[in-house]
Amino acid sequence: MYEVFTGRLPFLAQNVFDILSMHANQPPESPRTYNPMLPDAVAEVVLRAIEKDRGNRYQSAIEIKEALVGAIPETGRWKSFST
């Protein structure tokens, strides 16, 4: 989902070991860093979906869908996504 909204992966590095270390130890940049047009509420959904602590993540795809629908403005280019 991070890549869908930003066009890039949350962690980039020269080798797989560095990427794994970043996944384990670093928080990802806000998706808005790479897509400033992304609504804040959508960025928050993305970050919660990839939260390192399982207990803080959404517990199902349905929860993610409901959060995204609630986060996407009803006007403009986002409207078609929420219907």
Side-chain angles (χ1 to χ4, degrees), residues 29-47:
E29 292 280 341
S30 168
R32 288 184 44 79
T33 301
Y34 306 105
N35 181 358
M37 304 256 324
L38 192 68
D40 286 328
V42 174
E44 290 173 20
V45 171
V46 171
L47 291 174

Side-chain angles (χ1 to χ4, degrees), residues 8-74:
R8 57 167 279 148
L9 296 171
F11 299 107
L12 299 173
Q14 294 294 326
N15 62 64
V16 70
F17 300 108
D18 289 342
I19 292 172
L20 290 172
S21 176
M22 293 168 84
H23 270 285
N25 301 306
Q26 294 180 15
E29 292 280 341
S30 168
R32 288 184 44 79
T33 301
Y34 306 105
N35 181 358
M37 304 256 324
L38 192 68
D40 286 328
V42 174
E44 290 173 20
V45 171
V46 171
L47 291 174
R48 181 173 172 198
I50 61 173
E51 174 69 41
K52 294 187 187 319
D53 182 345
R54 267 183 216 195
N56 292 334
R57 290 184 217 148
Y58 296 102
Q59 299 303 302
S60 70
I62 291 170
E63 282 186 23
I64 294 172
K65 180 215 168 231
E66 289 171 354
L68 278 174
V69 168
I72 296 171
E74 291 294 324

